[in-house]
Amino acid sequence: MTKLLEGVGATLLIAGISTIVHECTGWFRLWGVVRYIGFLKGYEIYAGILLAVLGVAVLIASDAVKGEPEK
């Protein structure tokens, strides 16, 4: 469970950061997955920030789960 949360959190964080970098500089064309979602047109930076924050939150949650003993 911990590895799954770490993988999801890292993926969300990378997707968010790459979206922000793409919108500000034009780099990472293929990594900015938010631009492929039609209803977010014009809100790509906000969605990238939200993805990055959500990724950090999932990574923090995975550390909290890591502290519990497994059954």
Side-chain angles (χ1 to χ4, degrees):
M1 176 83 165
T2 304
K3 295 292 183 186
L4 177 69
L5 286 175
E6 288 175 352
V8 169
T11 303
L12 289 172
L13 183 63
I14 290 170
I17 290 173
S18 67
T19 299
I20 294 168
V21 169
H22 171 71
E23 291 301 318
C24 292
T25 64
W27 296 349
F28 301 116
R29 272 190 313 156
L30 300 175
W31 288 13
V33 295
V34 173
R35 67 188 179 110
Y36 297 114
I37 302 173
F39 66 89
L40 291 176
K41 184 113 174 124
Y43 298 102
E44 289 91 355
I45 292 179
Y46 301 118
I49 292 170
L50 179 67
L51 278 176
V53 169
L54 187 61
V56 169
V58 171
L59 286 171
I60 291 171
S62 72
D63 284 342
V65 171
K66 190 182 293 184
E68 297 179 8
E70 293 187 25
K71 295 182 181 180

